[in-house]
Amino acid sequence: MDQKIIDKLQYGFPVCEYPFAVVAKDLGITESSLIDRIDTLLKEKVLTRFGPMYHAERMGGALSLAAMSIPEQDFDQVTEIVNAFPEIAHNYQRDHQLNMWFVLATEEQEQLEKTIERIEQQSGYPVYNMPKLEEFYVGFYLDLSEKQADTKPNVSVRPDRPTRDLTEMDRELVTLSQEGLALVPRPYHKLAEAMGTSSEEVMVRMESMLACGIIRRIAAVPNHYKLGYTANGMTVWDVPDEKIRELGTKVGALPSVTHCYHRPRHLPDWSYNLFAMVHGKNKSDVAEDIEQIKQLLGDDLRACDVLYSTRILKKKGLRIARSVPVESSEKPNARVEAT
């Protein structure tokens, strides 16, 4: 039953008055049993989170991937410096000369650039900024069923997709729900009570944010390490820039690829422009997936590498933090950060 719950909730959770009851009926269990099982899976860290997955850039924030090359004798000290920044969400050690990779999130692009400058100043080492230039695929799902799915869901948000600005009520809703949904029969009613509004208003706003990509999806996120997927390979590829969209779309469509992006080169130190994340139960599985990508790229492949994560240095979700500006004690300000 845990397997069925994880399989179903990875793909989405309904926006309605009694969503747990709807899902429980499909699974053939009671509403209370479903809520109890999700609670247990979260406590046991089989699920890392359950609730809305917000798109930082669609909320007006800036997001980027960055890397550093740190000598072994300074690695722990620099890790402390980098992790102390609230703008850092994820930080991994990887088996490469560029051995520290982290994700930054800020309210504005200028803040992101200033954060990178401060990290360089405090650590004494350069930061290679590798922002997303184009998104080809995002969709991390683990198929735990014996029958493999014919197609994989895609939660990538097209850049030309209409969006809208967040209102103050939207920001309050994001702030209250970004840690996850309450495990109660009427979770949207629970949010409405905290906001002093109706559950209908909350659900309308949730649906609106889903429609424009501010919310990628409302779902459960499984912990791939707990479920045996311990080989986390960031594959990187050097392909012609003029063919990056064509090739990135093809690579992103492969069943094994969970994230696929176009990112900038940093010559002469970094020649790769196509990034594709691959997760497997072991490195042999990832090696097979890499061979598949090589065959797909064919003569357009000039060089490639795979960077395995060897240690999780920091892993927090992207959050909107509410604060009061110095010049005013009346109107709250919202900013995107990692907490």
Side-chain angles (χ1 to χ4, degrees), residues 9-13 51-54 138-141 155 210 213-222:
L9 292 183
Q10 285 183 95
Y11 297 93
F13 187 69
M53 262 62 79
Y54 287 100
V138 174
F140 183 28
Y141 300 89
V155 293
L210 279 164
I214 292 173
I215 299 177
R216 286 187 181 269
R217 60 189 167 119
I218 304 172
V221 180

Side-chain angles (χ1 to χ4, degrees), residues 202-218:
V202 166
M203 289 187 286
V204 166
R205 289 181 180 276
M206 284 285 191
E207 292 282 15
S208 173
M209 286 191 281
L210 279 164
C212 66
I214 292 173
I215 299 177
R216 286 187 181 269
R217 60 189 167 119
I218 304 172

